[in-house]
Amino acid sequence: MSSIGTGYDLSASTFSPDGRVFQVEYAMKAVENSSTAIGIRCKDGVVFGVEKLVLSKLYEQGSNKRIFNVDRHVGMAVAGLLADARSLSEVAREEASNFRSNYGHNIPLKHLSERVAMYVHAYTLYSAVRPFGCSFILGSYDQDDGPQLYMVDPSGISYGYWGCAIGKAKQAAKTEIEKLQMKDMTCRELVKEVAKIIYIVHDEVKDKSFELELSWVGEVTNGKHELVPKDVREEAEKYAKVCTTTTSHSFVFSMAFL
Amino acid sequence: MVGVEDLVHFRYYVSSKTINKLIQVHDRIFCCIAGSLADAQAVTKAAKFQISFHSIQMESPPLVKAAASVLKELCYNNKEELQAGFITAGWDRKKGPQVYTVALGGMLLSQPFTIGGSGSTYIYGYADAKYKPDMSKEECLQFATNALALAMGRDNVSGGVAHLVVITEEGVEHIVIPGDKLPKFHDE
C-alpha cells in the first residue's frame, strides 16, 4: 500500500492532513528494500539469521556484516541502510557501556532497546535531520531474565517478541516463524529452523547469491553473543538446503505442465 | 543489618551526639556514612536521587550492587574534593542480602561483613574473631551491638546512641540503643 504525500512529505517535522509523518514511512520503505533478517527467541536463547545478498564476486567473504555485538550478552541484527545501522550499533554500545559503568551490572535488554528507540525517535522530530533508515532486532540472554528479543523500527518504537522479521521478505518469514513452537525449542534445534526460513524466503529469481549470517546467544554460549560456529552453521545450511530443494523440485515439476 | 553510632565532631568539640548516619537510599537499601559528614550527606543525597530515578526507569527495585555503583561513581569521579566513605547494604530479589564497601577514593568491594569509620580501627580484631557466616537475626544483632559498644568505648570521636537497622525482604526494622543501655566491657 503506497501513497504519495505531495507537499507534506518534505520534512519529518510535518504532519499530513490524515495524521501521518511521511518521512518516517519513507524510512520504513528503505528497510523494506533491504534483504531479510530474522530473530527468534527460544527456551534457552536467541538465534539471529540474516540473508546477506552478495552484490559482487569481488567482495571478501564475511564483509559487510549485518549482525553486531552490542555488549557481551547482546546481539543486534539489522535491515535497511547499513551505514545508519552501524552508527546506531555504536549508540547502543555506548548505552550498554555507560549503564555498566554507572550501575555495575549488565544492561537489561528492555532498557537498552527503550534507550536506543528513544534515540531513533529523536531523529523523527526535526526537519534538520532525517530519520534513520534501518530497523534492528536486539537479542540477549541472561541467567535471571532468560532470553529476550526486542525490535526497533525507524519510527522509534520498540516491542518485545518471541520471533520477528524485518526486510523485504518479512511477511513470508513471519508466516514461517508462526509455524514454529519456539517456546519448546533449544538453540541448537532453532538454528536449523532459522537457516531453513532464510533459505525459504530467499528469492532465487530476483537476487542471485547470498551469504547466510547466523548468530546466537544463550545457555549454549554461556550468555555470550557470537556467530554460530562453523560446524553448526554447516549442519544448519545443509538442513536448510535439503528442505528447500525438495519443495522447489516439486515446483519445477509442476511448471513443466503449464 | 547495619549499625552506626551518632557522634559528629568539628575539630576539637563534639558538635552533635544525635546525628543520623544511616541514610535510606531506597526501600531496602541503606548507607552508613563516615568521614566528612557534609560530603557524605551531599553524596548520598545525589545518590538517592539517581537510584530513585534508575528504579523508576527499570520498573523494579534497584539492585544493591547498582546502588553501591552509583555511590562509587560519585566518590571516584570527585575524589579530589570528597572525603567520605560508605557501607551500602540491603536486600534485592536477585542476590538477596548484600554488603558493599565504598572506600574513600572510590573502591567498590563486596564483602560478607564490613566495618568502617574512625572507631572501626579498634574493633577489627573483635569483628574478625566473632563473625561467622549464616548467623541468625539475634546473633547478628548481638554481634553488631557489641562491636559498636566496643568501638564507642575506645574511640574519643565516636559515641552517643547506637542505631541499628535490620533489612529483610519483608521490610525494615529500626533499633535504637541509648549509650547507657549498651553492653559494658572492661574498657570502661
Side-chain angles (χ1 to χ4, degrees):
Chain A
M1 178 206 92
S2 66
S3 50
I4 307 165
T6 336
Y8 302 107
D9 60 349
L10 294 175
S11 82
S13 65
T14 313
F15 275 107
S16 74
D18 51 346
R20 295 151 73 174
V21 181
F22 280 101
Q23 277 296 306
V24 173
E25 294 190 18
Y26 296 162
M28 303 215 222
K29 288 251 175 58
V31 178
E32 276 165 37
N33 286 336
S34 131
S35 61
T36 323
I38 64 175
I40 309 183
R41 171 182 161 193
C42 62
K43 190 165 62 175
D44 64 351
V46 169
V47 180
F48 290 117
V50 178
E51 172 205 8
K52 196 170 67 176
L53 298 178
V54 176
L55 297 168
S56 158
K57 285 198 181 57
L58 297 172
Y59 278 132
E60 195 182 65
Q61 211 208 21
S63 63
N64 288 338
K65 274 198 175 351
R66 296 213 359 224
I67 300 182
F68 302 95
N69 243 332
V70 166
D71 196 345
R72 189 184 179 274
H73 65 303
V74 179
M76 173 170 153
V78 307
L81 300 176
L82 199 47
D84 287 11
R86 282 198 189 122
S87 117
L88 279 172
S89 78
E90 276 305 306
V91 168
R93 282 167 183 158
E94 228 181 288
E95 281 291 337
S97 167
N98 283 338
F99 186 95
R100 180 180 276 108
S101 179
N102 285 329
Y103 303 110
H105 64 96
N106 286 347
I107 187 167
L109 194 67
K110 179 162 192 265
H111 186 66
L112 173 64
S113 75
E114 277 168 5
R115 295 285 298 184
V116 187
M118 237 194 302
Y119 187 91
V120 169
H121 170 251
Y123 280 72
T124 66
L125 297 170
Y126 312 105
S127 58
V129 293
R130 65 161 174 81
F132 284 96
C134 64
S135 286
F136 50 95
I137 312 173
L138 290 162
S140 83
Y141 178 78
D142 176 72
Q143 279 280 24
D144 305 289
D145 305 320
Q148 303 279 319
L149 187 69
Y150 282 85
M151 196 262 278
V152 179
D153 72 9
S155 65
I157 48 171
S158 88
Y159 288 122
Y161 290 88
W162 275 95
C164 70
I166 49 180
K168 57 170 68 150
K170 72 171 189 231
Q171 274 308 116
K174 277 199 183 117
T175 323
E176 291 302 316
I177 292 173
E178 276 165 17
K179 293 180 190 163
L180 296 174
Q181 297 286 2
M182 68 262 316
K183 294 184 192 180
D184 306 315
M185 295 170 86
T186 64
C187 270
R188 286 198 185 273
E189 295 161 1
L190 191 56
V191 160
K192 298 200 293 211
E193 296 302 325
V194 165
K196 181 177 124 190
I197 295 174
I198 295 285
Y199 269 81
I200 290 174
V201 304
H202 172 68
D203 189 342
E204 273 295 333
V205 177
K206 285 214 199 107
D207 311 308
K208 295 295 154 60
S209 61
F210 79 104
E211 250 178 61
L212 171 62
E213 237 181 288
L214 277 176
S215 80
W216 59 4
V217 58
E219 237 185 277
V220 64
T221 63
N222 239 327
K224 179 169 180 275
H225 174 256
E226 53 191 28
L227 290 179
V228 155
K230 192 153 170 274
D231 54 336
V232 179
R233 196 160 77 84
E234 278 167 7
E235 195 196 328
E237 285 207 69
K238 201 166 72 164
Y239 171 81
K241 280 182 183 142
V242 161
C243 288
T244 43
T245 40
T246 42
T247 47
S248 67
H249 272 153
S250 51
F251 176 72
V252 165
F253 190 65
S254 57
M255 281 296 285
F257 283 88
L258 287 166
Chain B
M1 170 169 317
V2 283
V4 291
E5 38 71 50
D6 60 359
L7 189 143
V8 174
H9 77 108
F10 178 68
R11 296 216 185 100
Y12 312 111
Y13 73 99
V14 171
S15 47
S16 167
K17 284 212 289 191
T18 51
I19 195 161
N20 178 26
K21 291 191 198 170
L22 266 177
I23 317 284
Q24 181 165 23
V25 289
H26 207 266
D27 294 354
R28 297 279 183 281
I29 306 176
F30 275 75
C31 246
C32 307
I33 56 179
S36 155
L37 267 281
D39 287 351
Q41 282 182 353
V43 169
T44 47
K45 198 168 177 182
K48 193 171 176 178
F49 161 73
Q50 282 186 31
I51 293 161
S52 161
F53 190 74
H54 172 67
S55 166
I56 290 169
Q57 271 192 325
M58 295 286 117
E59 291 172 359
S60 73
L63 298 181
V64 185
K65 187 169 191 191
S69 285
V70 167
L71 274 161
K72 175 264 287 175
E73 281 293 290
L74 287 164
C75 288
Y76 183 76
N77 291 329
N78 298 295
K79 61 160 81 187
E80 317 298 328
E81 284 90 19
L82 293 172
Q83 243 196 10
F86 305 89
I87 298 174
T88 309
W91 181 92
D92 65 48
R93 175 152 303 155
K94 196 164 163 176
K95 275 168 116 178
Q98 295 148 73
V99 171
Y100 293 88
T101 305
V102 179
L104 231 54
M107 171 191 81
L108 174 61
L109 197 54
S110 166
Q111 295 175 297
F113 79 98
T114 190
I115 54 178
S118 60
S120 70
T121 52
Y122 304 99
I123 50 169
Y124 273 101
Y126 177 78
D128 287 342
K130 285 294 179 180
Y131 172 78
K132 43 189 217 298
D134 299 320
M135 284 190 272
S136 69
K137 177 182 156 190
E138 289 65 35
E139 290 177 303
C140 224
L141 266 170
Q142 196 57 52
F143 172 63
T145 317
N146 284 350
L148 279 173
L150 286 163
M152 285 153 76
R154 285 291 181 181
D155 187 23
N156 61 333
V157 290
S158 294
V161 172
H163 292 270
L164 290 139
V165 169
V166 183
I167 309 160
T168 55
E169 180 178 0
E170 288 76 49
V172 162
E173 190 193 331
H174 288 267
I175 301 166
V176 176
I177 308 175
D180 51 351
K181 299 279 190 309
L182 283 169
K184 298 241 182 309
F185 294 97
H186 304 294
D187 56 315
E188 300 283 320

